[in-house]
Short mmCIF file of all heavy atoms in Angstrom, two decimals:
data_model
loop_
_atom_site.label_atom_id
_atom_site.label_comp_id
_atom_site.label_asym_id
_atom_site.label_seq_id
_atom_site.Cartn_x
_atom_site.Cartn_y
_atom_site.Cartn_z
N SER A 1 -69.43 -14.52 -43.08
CA SER A 1 -70.23 -15.14 -44.12
C SER A 1 -70.87 -16.44 -43.61
O SER A 1 -70.46 -16.98 -42.58
CB SER A 1 -69.38 -15.44 -45.36
OG SER A 1 -68.49 -16.51 -45.10
N LYS A 2 -71.85 -16.93 -44.37
CA LYS A 2 -72.53 -18.17 -44.00
C LYS A 2 -71.55 -19.33 -43.86
O LYS A 2 -71.68 -20.17 -42.98
CB LYS A 2 -73.57 -18.48 -45.09
CG LYS A 2 -74.45 -19.65 -44.82
CD LYS A 2 -75.56 -19.69 -45.86
CE LYS A 2 -75.54 -21.03 -46.56
NZ LYS A 2 -76.53 -21.12 -47.63
N SER A 3 -70.53 -19.34 -44.72
CA SER A 3 -69.56 -20.44 -44.69
C SER A 3 -68.41 -20.20 -43.72
O SER A 3 -67.55 -21.06 -43.56
CB SER A 3 -69.00 -20.67 -46.09
OG SER A 3 -68.36 -19.50 -46.56
N LYS A 4 -68.40 -19.03 -43.06
CA LYS A 4 -67.34 -18.70 -42.09
C LYS A 4 -65.95 -18.87 -42.69
O LYS A 4 -65.05 -19.48 -42.10
CB LYS A 4 -67.47 -19.56 -40.82
CG LYS A 4 -68.81 -19.44 -40.12
CD LYS A 4 -68.91 -18.13 -39.39
CE LYS A 4 -70.18 -18.07 -38.56
NZ LYS A 4 -70.80 -16.77 -38.63
N SER A 5 -65.76 -18.32 -43.89
CA SER A 5 -64.48 -18.44 -44.60
C SER A 5 -63.36 -17.82 -43.78
O SER A 5 -63.53 -16.77 -43.17
CB SER A 5 -64.56 -17.73 -45.95
OG SER A 5 -65.53 -18.33 -46.76
N LEU A 6 -62.20 -18.48 -43.82
CA LEU A 6 -61.03 -17.95 -43.14
C LEU A 6 -60.54 -16.72 -43.88
O LEU A 6 -60.45 -16.72 -45.10
CB LEU A 6 -59.92 -19.02 -43.10
CG LEU A 6 -58.62 -18.60 -42.41
CD1 LEU A 6 -58.85 -18.25 -40.94
CD2 LEU A 6 -57.59 -19.73 -42.53
N GLU A 7 -60.24 -15.68 -43.13
CA GLU A 7 -59.84 -14.40 -43.72
C GLU A 7 -58.62 -13.85 -43.01
O GLU A 7 -58.50 -13.96 -41.79
CB GLU A 7 -61.03 -13.44 -43.56
CG GLU A 7 -61.07 -12.30 -44.51
CD GLU A 7 -62.40 -11.58 -44.42
OE1 GLU A 7 -62.56 -10.71 -43.54
OE2 GLU A 7 -63.29 -11.89 -45.22
N LEU A 8 -57.72 -13.26 -43.79
CA LEU A 8 -56.53 -12.61 -43.25
C LEU A 8 -56.49 -11.19 -43.79
O LEU A 8 -56.66 -10.98 -44.99
CB LEU A 8 -55.28 -13.37 -43.68
CG LEU A 8 -53.93 -12.77 -43.27
CD1 LEU A 8 -52.94 -13.88 -42.99
CD2 LEU A 8 -53.38 -11.85 -44.34
N THR A 9 -56.27 -10.23 -42.91
CA THR A 9 -56.08 -8.84 -43.31
C THR A 9 -54.76 -8.37 -42.71
O THR A 9 -54.49 -8.61 -41.53
CB THR A 9 -57.23 -7.94 -42.80
OG1 THR A 9 -58.47 -8.47 -43.27
CG2 THR A 9 -57.08 -6.51 -43.30
N ALA A 10 -53.94 -7.73 -43.56
CA ALA A 10 -52.63 -7.25 -43.09
C ALA A 10 -52.36 -5.87 -43.69
O ALA A 10 -52.79 -5.56 -44.79
CB ALA A 10 -51.54 -8.23 -43.48
N ASP A 11 -51.61 -5.08 -42.93
CA ASP A 11 -51.21 -3.73 -43.35
C ASP A 11 -49.70 -3.65 -43.40
O ASP A 11 -49.01 -4.22 -42.56
CB ASP A 11 -51.70 -2.67 -42.36
CG ASP A 11 -53.21 -2.54 -42.33
OD1 ASP A 11 -53.85 -2.80 -43.37
OD2 ASP A 11 -53.76 -2.20 -41.26
N HIS A 12 -49.21 -2.91 -44.39
CA HIS A 12 -47.77 -2.62 -44.47
C HIS A 12 -47.66 -1.10 -44.32
O HIS A 12 -47.84 -0.35 -45.28
CB HIS A 12 -47.19 -3.08 -45.79
CG HIS A 12 -45.70 -3.21 -45.75
ND1 HIS A 12 -44.86 -2.15 -45.46
CD2 HIS A 12 -44.89 -4.28 -45.93
CE1 HIS A 12 -43.61 -2.57 -45.49
NE2 HIS A 12 -43.59 -3.86 -45.77
N VAL A 13 -47.38 -0.64 -43.10
CA VAL A 13 -47.36 0.79 -42.79
C VAL A 13 -46.31 1.53 -43.61
O VAL A 13 -46.58 2.59 -44.16
CB VAL A 13 -47.16 1.01 -41.27
CG1 VAL A 13 -47.02 2.49 -40.95
CG2 VAL A 13 -48.31 0.41 -40.48
N GLU A 14 -45.14 0.95 -43.73
CA GLU A 14 -44.05 1.62 -44.44
C GLU A 14 -44.36 1.77 -45.94
O GLU A 14 -44.18 2.83 -46.51
CB GLU A 14 -42.75 0.82 -44.27
CG GLU A 14 -41.55 1.48 -44.90
CD GLU A 14 -40.31 0.60 -44.78
OE1 GLU A 14 -40.12 -0.03 -43.73
OE2 GLU A 14 -39.54 0.56 -45.76
N LYS A 15 -44.86 0.71 -46.55
CA LYS A 15 -45.17 0.76 -47.98
C LYS A 15 -46.55 1.36 -48.27
O LYS A 15 -46.88 1.64 -49.41
CB LYS A 15 -45.08 -0.63 -48.59
CG LYS A 15 -43.66 -1.14 -48.62
CD LYS A 15 -43.55 -2.43 -49.39
CE LYS A 15 -42.10 -2.87 -49.43
NZ LYS A 15 -41.84 -3.88 -50.41
N LYS A 16 -47.37 1.50 -47.23
CA LYS A 16 -48.71 2.08 -47.35
C LYS A 16 -49.62 1.24 -48.25
O LYS A 16 -50.27 1.73 -49.16
CB LYS A 16 -48.64 3.53 -47.82
CG LYS A 16 -47.88 4.40 -46.82
CD LYS A 16 -47.72 5.82 -47.29
CE LYS A 16 -47.05 6.73 -46.32
NZ LYS A 16 -45.98 6.24 -45.52
N PHE A 17 -49.65 -0.07 -47.94
CA PHE A 17 -50.52 -1.01 -48.63
C PHE A 17 -51.26 -1.87 -47.61
O PHE A 17 -50.81 -2.01 -46.48
CB PHE A 17 -49.70 -1.95 -49.54
CG PHE A 17 -49.44 -1.40 -50.91
CD1 PHE A 17 -48.39 -0.53 -51.13
CD2 PHE A 17 -50.24 -1.76 -51.98
CE1 PHE A 17 -48.14 -0.02 -52.39
CE2 PHE A 17 -50.00 -1.25 -53.25
CZ PHE A 17 -48.95 -0.38 -53.46
N ALA A 18 -52.36 -2.43 -48.06
CA ALA A 18 -53.10 -3.41 -47.26
C ALA A 18 -53.40 -4.60 -48.16
O ALA A 18 -53.46 -4.47 -49.38
CB ALA A 18 -54.40 -2.80 -46.74
N VAL A 19 -53.59 -5.76 -47.55
CA VAL A 19 -53.98 -6.95 -48.29
C VAL A 19 -55.05 -7.68 -47.49
O VAL A 19 -55.00 -7.72 -46.26
CB VAL A 19 -52.79 -7.89 -48.60
CG1 VAL A 19 -52.18 -8.46 -47.32
CG2 VAL A 19 -53.21 -9.01 -49.55
N LYS A 20 -56.02 -8.22 -48.22
CA LYS A 20 -57.05 -9.06 -47.61
C LYS A 20 -57.08 -10.35 -48.42
O LYS A 20 -57.14 -10.32 -49.65
CB LYS A 20 -58.41 -8.36 -47.66
CG LYS A 20 -59.52 -9.13 -47.01
CD LYS A 20 -60.78 -8.29 -47.04
CE LYS A 20 -61.92 -8.98 -46.33
NZ LYS A 20 -63.11 -8.14 -46.34
N VAL A 21 -57.00 -11.48 -47.71
CA VAL A 21 -57.02 -12.79 -48.36
C VAL A 21 -58.14 -13.60 -47.73
O VAL A 21 -58.24 -13.70 -46.51
CB VAL A 21 -55.68 -13.54 -48.18
CG1 VAL A 21 -55.72 -14.88 -48.92
CG2 VAL A 21 -54.51 -12.69 -48.65
N GLU A 22 -58.99 -14.16 -48.58
CA GLU A 22 -60.11 -14.96 -48.13
C GLU A 22 -59.97 -16.37 -48.70
O GLU A 22 -59.70 -16.52 -49.89
CB GLU A 22 -61.42 -14.33 -48.62
CG GLU A 22 -62.64 -14.77 -47.88
CD GLU A 22 -63.87 -13.97 -48.30
OE1 GLU A 22 -63.75 -12.76 -48.56
OE2 GLU A 22 -64.94 -14.59 -48.38
N PHE A 23 -60.12 -17.37 -47.86
CA PHE A 23 -60.00 -18.77 -48.28
C PHE A 23 -61.39 -19.37 -48.41
O PHE A 23 -62.10 -19.49 -47.42
CB PHE A 23 -59.15 -19.53 -47.26
CG PHE A 23 -59.15 -21.02 -47.44
CD1 PHE A 23 -59.17 -21.61 -48.69
CD2 PHE A 23 -59.11 -21.85 -46.33
CE1 PHE A 23 -59.16 -22.99 -48.84
CE2 PHE A 23 -59.10 -23.23 -46.46
CZ PHE A 23 -59.12 -23.80 -47.72
N TRP A 24 -61.76 -19.71 -49.64
CA TRP A 24 -63.04 -20.38 -49.88
C TRP A 24 -62.76 -21.87 -50.04
O TRP A 24 -62.15 -22.30 -51.01
CB TRP A 24 -63.70 -19.87 -51.15
CG TRP A 24 -64.30 -18.50 -51.05
CD1 TRP A 24 -64.20 -17.63 -50.00
CD2 TRP A 24 -65.06 -17.83 -52.05
NE1 TRP A 24 -64.86 -16.47 -50.28
CE2 TRP A 24 -65.40 -16.57 -51.54
CE3 TRP A 24 -65.48 -18.18 -53.33
CZ2 TRP A 24 -66.14 -15.64 -52.25
CZ3 TRP A 24 -66.22 -17.27 -54.04
CH2 TRP A 24 -66.56 -16.02 -53.51
N GLU A 25 -63.22 -22.65 -49.08
CA GLU A 25 -63.06 -24.10 -49.18
C GLU A 25 -63.93 -24.63 -50.32
O GLU A 25 -64.88 -23.98 -50.74
CB GLU A 25 -63.46 -24.76 -47.86
CG GLU A 25 -62.51 -24.42 -46.72
CD GLU A 25 -62.89 -25.11 -45.44
OE1 GLU A 25 -62.92 -26.36 -45.43
OE2 GLU A 25 -63.16 -24.40 -44.46
N LYS A 26 -63.60 -25.82 -50.79
CA LYS A 26 -64.35 -26.44 -51.88
C LYS A 26 -65.84 -26.51 -51.52
O LYS A 26 -66.20 -26.90 -50.42
CB LYS A 26 -63.81 -27.85 -52.16
CG LYS A 26 -64.48 -28.54 -53.34
CD LYS A 26 -63.78 -29.84 -53.66
CE LYS A 26 -64.44 -30.56 -54.81
NZ LYS A 26 -64.32 -29.89 -56.09
N ASN A 27 -66.66 -26.07 -52.46
CA ASN A 27 -68.12 -26.09 -52.31
C ASN A 27 -68.60 -25.42 -51.02
O ASN A 27 -69.52 -25.88 -50.36
CB ASN A 27 -68.65 -27.53 -52.39
CG ASN A 27 -68.27 -28.20 -53.69
OD1 ASN A 27 -68.11 -27.54 -54.71
ND2 ASN A 27 -68.11 -29.51 -53.67
N SER A 28 -67.95 -24.31 -50.66
CA SER A 28 -68.31 -23.61 -49.42
C SER A 28 -69.56 -22.76 -49.62
O SER A 28 -69.86 -22.30 -50.71
CB SER A 28 -67.15 -22.74 -48.96
OG SER A 28 -66.81 -21.80 -49.95
N GLY A 29 -70.27 -22.56 -48.57
CA GLY A 29 -71.44 -21.67 -48.58
C GLY A 29 -72.59 -22.16 -49.44
O GLY A 29 -73.44 -21.38 -49.86
N GLY A 30 -72.63 -23.46 -49.75
CA GLY A 30 -73.73 -23.99 -50.54
C GLY A 30 -73.50 -23.85 -52.04
O GLY A 30 -74.33 -24.28 -52.84
N ASP A 31 -72.41 -23.24 -52.45
CA ASP A 31 -72.09 -23.09 -53.87
C ASP A 31 -71.11 -24.17 -54.29
O ASP A 31 -70.39 -24.73 -53.48
CB ASP A 31 -71.42 -21.72 -54.13
CG ASP A 31 -72.38 -20.57 -53.87
OD1 ASP A 31 -73.59 -20.74 -54.09
OD2 ASP A 31 -71.91 -19.51 -53.43
N ILE A 32 -71.10 -24.44 -55.58
CA ILE A 32 -70.11 -25.37 -56.13
C ILE A 32 -68.92 -24.53 -56.59
O ILE A 32 -69.05 -23.67 -57.46
CB ILE A 32 -70.69 -26.18 -57.30
CG1 ILE A 32 -71.85 -27.05 -56.80
CG2 ILE A 32 -69.62 -27.02 -57.96
CD1 ILE A 32 -72.59 -27.78 -57.90
N ASN A 33 -67.80 -24.72 -55.94
CA ASN A 33 -66.59 -23.98 -56.30
C ASN A 33 -65.36 -24.81 -55.97
O ASN A 33 -65.40 -25.68 -55.11
CB ASN A 33 -66.52 -22.62 -55.57
CG ASN A 33 -66.44 -22.75 -54.07
OD1 ASN A 33 -67.44 -22.98 -53.40
ND2 ASN A 33 -65.23 -22.62 -53.51
N ASP A 34 -64.30 -24.53 -56.70
CA ASP A 34 -63.01 -25.14 -56.37
C ASP A 34 -62.45 -24.41 -55.16
O ASP A 34 -62.81 -23.25 -54.90
CB ASP A 34 -62.04 -24.97 -57.54
CG ASP A 34 -62.39 -25.85 -58.73
OD1 ASP A 34 -62.94 -26.95 -58.51
OD2 ASP A 34 -62.12 -25.43 -59.87
N PRO A 35 -61.54 -25.04 -54.42
CA PRO A 35 -60.86 -24.31 -53.34
C PRO A 35 -60.20 -23.07 -53.95
O PRO A 35 -59.54 -23.17 -54.98
CB PRO A 35 -59.83 -25.30 -52.82
CG PRO A 35 -60.30 -26.65 -53.27
CD PRO A 35 -61.04 -26.42 -54.55
N THR A 36 -60.40 -21.93 -53.30
CA THR A 36 -59.94 -20.66 -53.87
C THR A 36 -59.40 -19.73 -52.80
O THR A 36 -59.97 -19.64 -51.72
CB THR A 36 -61.11 -19.94 -54.60
OG1 THR A 36 -61.67 -20.82 -55.57
CG2 THR A 36 -60.66 -18.66 -55.26
N LEU A 37 -58.31 -19.05 -53.14
CA LEU A 37 -57.84 -17.93 -52.32
C LEU A 37 -58.16 -16.67 -53.10
O LEU A 37 -57.75 -16.51 -54.25
CB LEU A 37 -56.33 -18.01 -52.08
CG LEU A 37 -55.85 -19.13 -51.17
CD1 LEU A 37 -54.33 -19.11 -51.08
CD2 LEU A 37 -56.46 -19.01 -49.78
N LEU A 38 -58.93 -15.77 -52.49
CA LEU A 38 -59.25 -14.47 -53.08
C LEU A 38 -58.34 -13.45 -52.43
O LEU A 38 -58.33 -13.31 -51.20
CB LEU A 38 -60.70 -14.09 -52.83
CG LEU A 38 -61.76 -15.02 -53.40
CD1 LEU A 38 -63.14 -14.62 -52.90
CD2 LEU A 38 -61.71 -14.98 -54.91
N VAL A 39 -57.58 -12.74 -53.23
CA VAL A 39 -56.60 -11.78 -52.73
C VAL A 39 -56.96 -10.40 -53.24
O VAL A 39 -57.28 -10.23 -54.41
CB VAL A 39 -55.17 -12.16 -53.19
CG1 VAL A 39 -54.14 -11.18 -52.65
CG2 VAL A 39 -54.84 -13.59 -52.79
N ASN A 40 -56.90 -9.40 -52.35
CA ASN A 40 -57.12 -8.03 -52.78
C ASN A 40 -56.03 -7.15 -52.16
O ASN A 40 -56.00 -6.95 -50.94
CB ASN A 40 -58.51 -7.53 -52.37
CG ASN A 40 -58.89 -6.25 -53.07
OD1 ASN A 40 -58.28 -5.85 -54.06
ND2 ASN A 40 -59.91 -5.59 -52.56
#
């Protein structure tokens, strides 16, 4: 992304799940936002 947000992707082979976490720093990417962790 334009803001080069820090991202983590992990897999749990045994449980058969994946998670992706993105860290949006305050006002990142030219937008006004609070610091946020987006988890999926």
